[in-house]
Amino acid sequence: MLEDIWIYLVLAVVVIGGGAVALFRGRGGKPRDLPPGSGASGGARSGTATLDTDTDAAAGPVAPPEADTDTTAQPTAVEPAEPEAPALEHPEPAAGRLVRLRERLARSGALGSTLLRLLSRGDISEADWEEIEETLLLADIGAGPTDELMQALRTRVKVLGTTDPEQVRDILREELLTLVDPGMDRRLAASPVVGDDGEPHPATILMVGVNGTGKTTTVGKLARLLVAEDRDVLLGAADTFRAAAADQLATWGERVGVPVVRSDRDGADPAAVAFDAVKAGREAGVDVVLIDTAGRLQNKAGLMDELGKIKRVVARQAPVAEVLLVLDATTGQNGMRQAQVFADVVDVTGIVLTKLDGTAKGGIVVAVQRELGVPVKFVGLGEGPDDLAPFDPKGFVDALVA
């Protein structure tokens, strides 16, 4: 009986042990994967830092090491604010300029003051008349106009027999005004025109002159004057030989919101740049396209021929409304020779006299008009951006004899 009981106990132990092994191995007879950190084998080895599990269970799980965080405030990169576009300037209207320019002429009226002093003498001697003639010649009026003025003054002073300063001033004013010729058309062709193709074209103005006359500056000043008259203007930087010319013109344009067409490289074909400028002006529907050209020596045939080419190429896009010759008023008779050559090449339609800041050279107004048969349309008397004004014959003469 006891033997049977022992046999049953042994069988029960065997059965219970086998079930435990089967539970451990699972259905496939292989050990189960252990969850990480279970403590088996001291943790898995996978090449990365592992969590050390050989700790007292009562202490709880060990926290991973904290990252090296520096709590010191780090400077924050601040994006630079985009610069605000500069406010556009508002050029001075022509009316205000004329008043200011007349005042400047009057303050430097060497020509008028000298003539008035001599003509107001009680008895004008032959030596006085010679001094009057010399004064007129030094003022660059020219030999022919000087002879005309001398004869008129001699006759009128002798007939009237007056030495009254006011009467003498009136005589001088009338005779000088006759020489300056107020009847010449000094208007600038600055309105769009209809071309031979029946399409509207901007008024295209070609600016020419020799080196050193202030031509590019004059282009910028003329653009300001046109903007003051509510004209839409575009500038063409066809002076591709002087590195700073296009930049200089762009600066003038930016100040009053006028776009500039320029080449992306120095030494480009100026005729091509001028062509592109007029084309852009047509497409944009502007009123006026001002084209700055390189300063040229009037005795260099190749340069002058190239200027003629620019005009011909521009004419393919739009009729050339004006060719303005920029002259330095202080060059006197040398400026006259320059004017003659330019007029032969590009048919000058008007004169811009710069640096007319002393009336000792004011006589060139008379001389250049007589020689070329074209009017002085603008004069400049200072370095300011609005120191360019339409030429006013009466104001000019009044300033001389003020």
Side-chain angles (χ1 to χ4, degrees):
M1 185 67 176
L2 291 173
E3 293 178 354
D4 293 337
I5 292 173
W6 280 107
I7 292 173
Y8 288 130
L9 288 174
V10 172
L11 290 175
V13 171
V14 171
V15 171
I16 293 172
V21 172
L23 178 62
F24 178 76
R25 288 185 176 274
R27 294 181 181 178
K30 297 181 179 179
R32 291 179 183 271
D33 293 334
L34 299 178
S38 63
S41 301
R45 304 296 179 186
S46 60
T48 60
T50 60
L51 180 62
D52 186 1
T53 58
D54 188 11
T55 59
D56 185 3
V62 178
E66 293 182 0
D68 184 14
T69 56
D70 185 2
T71 57
T72 304
Q74 298 293 326
T76 303
V78 180
E79 292 291 334
E82 293 186 4
E84 295 183 1
L88 296 181
E89 298 178 7
H90 298 284
E92 182 181 358
R97 300 177 185 209
L98 291 173
V99 173
R100 183 158 42 84
L101 294 179
R102 281 198 294 267
E103 291 174 350
R104 292 186 181 182
L105 275 173
R107 288 197 299 267
S108 59
L111 172 61
S113 61
T114 300
L115 295 179
L116 283 173
R117 175 177 57 81
L118 294 171
L119 292 171
S120 298
R121 291 180 178 178
D123 185 14
I124 304 177
S125 65
E126 192 61 30
D128 293 333
W129 284 114
E130 291 178 358
E131 186 175 351
I132 292 172
E133 183 176 16
E134 182 180 2
T135 299
L136 293 172
L137 290 173
L138 289 175
D140 292 322
I141 286 180
T146 294
D147 287 342
E148 293 178 22
L149 183 56
M150 287 292 296
Q151 292 177 11
L153 290 175
R154 279 177 177 268
T155 300
R156 295 191 63 177
V157 169
K158 183 176 181 180
V159 170
L160 293 176
T162 182
T163 59
D164 179 71
E166 290 301 323
Q167 289 186 345
V168 170
R169 179 179 289 107
D170 289 341
I171 294 172
L172 182 59
R173 180 183 181 279
E174 291 173 8
E175 296 302 331
L176 284 174
L177 190 57
T178 299
L179 288 179
V180 174
D181 193 355
M184 300 186 84
D185 185 1
R186 302 176 194 276
R187 295 172 298 177
L188 182 70
S191 298
V193 297
V194 176
D196 295 337
D197 55 2
E199 297 294 329
H201 299 268
T204 301
I205 300 175
L206 199 62
M207 307 291 289
V208 302
V210 301
N211 296 313
T213 59
K215 181 172 45 54
T216 299
T217 297
T218 300
V219 174
K221 291 182 178 181
L222 181 55
R224 292 178 64 92
L225 182 59
L226 292 170
V227 168
E229 296 177 350
D230 295 326
R231 304 278 187 179
D232 290 326
V233 183
L234 182 143
L235 301 177
D239 183 353
T240 59
F241 297 103
R242 187 164 61 92
D247 292 337
Q248 182 182 356
L249 200 62
T251 299
W252 280 101
E254 289 171 0
R255 294 167 70 176
V256 289
V258 172
V260 177
V261 173
R262 59 185 295 181
S263 173
D264 57 359
R265 61 184 179 85
D266 295 334
D269 182 5
V273 176
F275 180 89
D276 290 342
V278 178
K279 181 180 179 181
R282 287 188 61 182
E283 294 172 351
V286 303
D287 298 319
V288 184
V289 175
L290 289 175
I291 300 176
D292 181 30
T293 62
R296 294 163 195 280
L297 300 174
Q298 74 276 12
N299 57 353
K300 299 294 184 181
L303 293 176
M304 298 303 292
D305 290 343
E306 188 176 69
L307 187 59
K309 173 188 173 182
I310 293 174
K311 184 182 179 184
R312 292 192 301 272
V313 169
V314 166
R316 297 173 189 171
Q317 276 291 333
V320 177
E322 296 267 11
V323 178
L324 297 182
L325 174 61
V326 182
L327 288 178
D328 183 338
T330 65
T331 59
Q333 292 302 310
N334 185 46
M336 288 298 306
R337 289 189 289 274
Q338 297 171 9
Q340 292 165 356
V341 177
F342 277 92
D344 292 340
V345 175
V346 287
D347 299 324
V348 173
T349 61
I351 306 295
V352 181
L353 281 179
T354 64
K355 307 177 185 178
L356 194 64
D357 51 3
T359 52
K361 296 294 182 181
I364 195 174
V365 171
V366 175
V368 73
Q369 288 186 160
R370 283 292 187 92
E371 187 66 31
L372 302 184
V374 298
V376 171
K377 293 193 173 185
F378 296 93
V379 292
L381 289 177
E383 299 297 328
D386 293 327
D387 285 343
L388 181 77
F391 179 68
D392 175 17
K394 293 181 179 179
F396 176 73
V397 172
D398 285 343
L400 289 182
V401 300

